[in-house]
Amino acid sequence: MQNHFKYIKSIVYIVGAGPGDPDLLTVKAQKLLALADVILCADSLVPEQILQICQQDAEIIRTADKTLEEIVALMIERVRSQHKSVVRLHSGDPSLYSAIHEQMHLLAEANIPFEVIPGISAFQAAAAKLKIELTVPGLVQTIILTRISGRTEVPANEELASLAAHQASLCLYLSARHVENAQAKLLAHYPAETLIAICFRLGWPDEKIKVVPLKQMADCTHAEKLTRTTLYVISPALLPVTGRSRLYDPEHSHLFRSSHH
């Protein structure tokens, strides 16, 4: 099989580390971690096992106590002055709640080349652990990834109350500290007995997953003492589902298969 992997020095790779399980890293992420000269990671969000993939003499910089400006200055200095390859390691997928927009803007402004490597997000890991499909024909066909307003405001037209009205598969990030507020907004649109999954530190050794009725969302969160790294999945797909997809139905034809009447 042809290998399209291309490793470049003097560049920043913004890499998704996935939810926590090192086996859920992409192949490209693993290759880059094994080759990079410098790795910057939020140590509270990326497990130590993932850093064991790095080469022994790699410089590992933990960024939990650093500001955006300090982090970007470090990346620029390592690339421009030292001509090193830098991996900026983010938990989950960089396109979701990772604050990479401002990093990319500052790197581009400084003429520092960068590449983004996607990762598995917590909502995908949750569906896999729960053994559910979040888009079930005839039941639910939309996934909403969102958060509740907290220290970071959510635009008014994206308020949880209006999104909940769709009764889609709703995946709620970064909301454990505001769980009572979230539960109240959800109960306005979902029945109190709707099953929800509370997923804590997916892919980590201390992972916890609890499936409870929506009305117990806040009580369960407090009982388990969850304040961060928690994803809530609210979905009709959590109920036992019957029926089947049209895609593999013998009566359904598509580009690669004619129907069998």
Side-chain angles (χ1 to χ4, degrees):
M1 189 171 74
Q2 190 177 0
N3 187 354
H4 295 289
F5 177 73
K6 188 178 178 186
Y7 172 65
I8 307 168
K9 282 277 205 178
S10 302
I11 188 173
V12 173
Y13 291 101
I14 298 170
V15 176
D21 183 348
D23 290 338
L24 291 180
L25 282 165
T26 63
V27 173
K28 190 166 190 177
Q30 289 183 55
K31 288 178 178 177
L32 289 171
L33 282 170
L35 292 168
D37 302 311
V38 184
I39 293 92
L40 291 96
C41 69
D43 29 316
S44 61
L45 297 173
V46 175
E48 201 64 36
Q49 301 97 294
I50 287 179
L51 298 178
Q52 288 169 9
I53 297 168
C54 305
Q55 54 180 330
Q56 280 195 322
D57 59 350
E59 180 186 11
I60 295 175
I61 302 172
R62 300 172 193 277
T63 61
D65 62 345
K66 293 181 171 43
T67 64
L68 168 69
E69 288 74 18
E70 289 170 333
I71 292 166
V72 172
L74 281 165
M75 293 193 286
I76 291 171
E77 196 275 334
R78 296 301 188 274
V79 169
R80 181 179 287 155
S81 304
Q82 299 183 24
H83 307 290
K84 290 185 172 180
S85 60
V86 174
V87 163
R88 174 62 173 130
L89 197 58
H90 281 274
S91 60
D93 177 72
S95 70
L96 291 173
Y97 306 117
S98 62
I100 65 164
H101 170 76
E102 53 260 47
Q103 293 176 63
M104 294 190 294
H105 175 73
L106 291 170
L107 289 170
E109 223 174 38
N111 289 316
I112 298 294
F114 63 87
E115 186 180 329
V116 182
I117 315 301
I120 299 281
S121 179
F123 85 93
Q124 296 163 305
K129 291 275 183 177
L130 292 161
K131 296 183 172 65
I132 61 169
E133 182 180 352
L134 292 170
T135 53
V136 179
L139 182 67
V140 59
Q141 287 289 281
T142 301
I143 302 170
I144 297 175
L145 311 177
T146 192
R147 59 172 297 168
I148 197 161
S149 266
R151 286 174 65 182
T152 302
E153 285 290 318
V154 169
N157 61 345
E158 294 178 27
E159 263 296 330
L160 181 57
S162 60
L163 296 178
H166 296 286
Q167 295 189 349
S169 286
L170 199 151
C171 303
L172 198 57
Y173 287 74
L174 305 166
S175 300
R177 291 184 190 276
H178 308 280
V179 66
E180 285 93 353
N181 189 12
Q183 179 178 295
K185 289 176 186 290
L186 292 166
L187 281 169
H189 297 284
Y190 291 88
E193 299 300 324
T194 301
L195 290 181
I196 69 157
I198 304 172
C199 307
F200 172 73
R201 281 164 65 96
L202 286 161
W204 291 64
D206 57 348
E207 168 190 289
K208 287 182 192 174
I209 298 176
K210 301 283 183 183
V211 178
V212 300
L214 175 56
K215 65 184 180 183
Q216 293 175 21
M217 179 179 180
D219 287 345
C220 183
T221 299
H222 294 314
E224 296 293 334
K225 298 182 170 60
L226 309 181
T227 56
R228 58 199 301 275
T229 328
T230 301
L231 174 79
Y232 298 97
V233 179
I234 303 96
S235 174
L238 281 162
L239 287 170
V241 174
T242 56
R244 61 180 289 171
S245 165
R246 292 278 295 154
L247 182 61
Y248 299 107
D249 192 307
E251 307 249 320
H252 179 64
S253 62
H254 58 66
L255 182 62
F256 301 104
R257 189 189 69 228
S258 58
S259 63
H260 301 283
H261 290 291

